[in-house]
Amino acid sequence: HLFAFIDCNNQQADGAPSDVLNVEPVSDKWAAFGWDTQRINGNDIDAIVSALEQARRVKGQPHAVVMDTIMGKGVPLFEQREKAHFIRVEPDEWKHAREQLGESGTDD
């Protein structure tokens, strides 16, 4: 009943992983160590639920769910920001971000 959730958001402190320190193929690496591995859209709740349901059917292995995500999903101001891990959000940006989040709804 062991699960690992791996967030692959294509972000590192010094740029995109493919340009700095490529970690791919993430799924293959977990599978090579005997983990039941799935790769999904980590911003999609239905995909996460489906991955958990599928993992329940696999017995005798730990489960790795590799999730491709977009940091700040639903807020274009944050989605498009480089180095989003450690860039400060200014007070006026919070208002803009809340407006963008309200506009995006819950369809994404």
Side-chain angles (χ1 to χ4, degrees):
H1 302 301
L2 179 62
F3 281 81
F5 294 89
I6 302 95
D7 180 15
C8 291
N9 57 33
N10 201 33
Q11 294 277 329
Q12 282 185 170
D14 294 324
S18 58
D19 297 332
V20 180
L21 180 61
N22 195 358
V23 296
E24 293 297 340
V26 174
S27 297
D28 293 346
K29 291 175 183 178
W30 284 84
F33 282 97
W35 290 64
D36 166 52
T37 307
Q38 302 176 61
R39 190 157 197 157
I40 64 168
N41 175 350
N43 291 111
D44 181 347
I45 292 295
D46 291 333
I48 295 169
V49 170
S50 178
L52 293 173
E53 289 172 351
Q54 183 175 330
R56 286 181 54 163
R57 294 189 289 273
V58 176
K59 306 295 183 199
Q61 286 180 276
H63 309 282
V65 181
V66 179
M67 302 185 304
D68 293 308
T69 61
I70 297 173
M71 292 180 67
K73 180 70 175 157
V75 181
L77 174 68
F78 297 154
E79 285 183 18
Q80 298 161 2
R81 180 171 282 179
E82 285 188 31
K83 300 184 179 182
H85 275 289
F86 56 91
I87 300 256
R88 180 182 169 143
V89 179
E90 299 299 329
D92 62 312
E93 291 178 312
W94 282 116
K95 181 179 184 228
H96 186 61
R98 283 191 296 272
E99 290 168 357
Q100 288 183 331
L101 188 58
E103 292 170 5
S104 71
T106 58
D107 295 334
D108 291 345

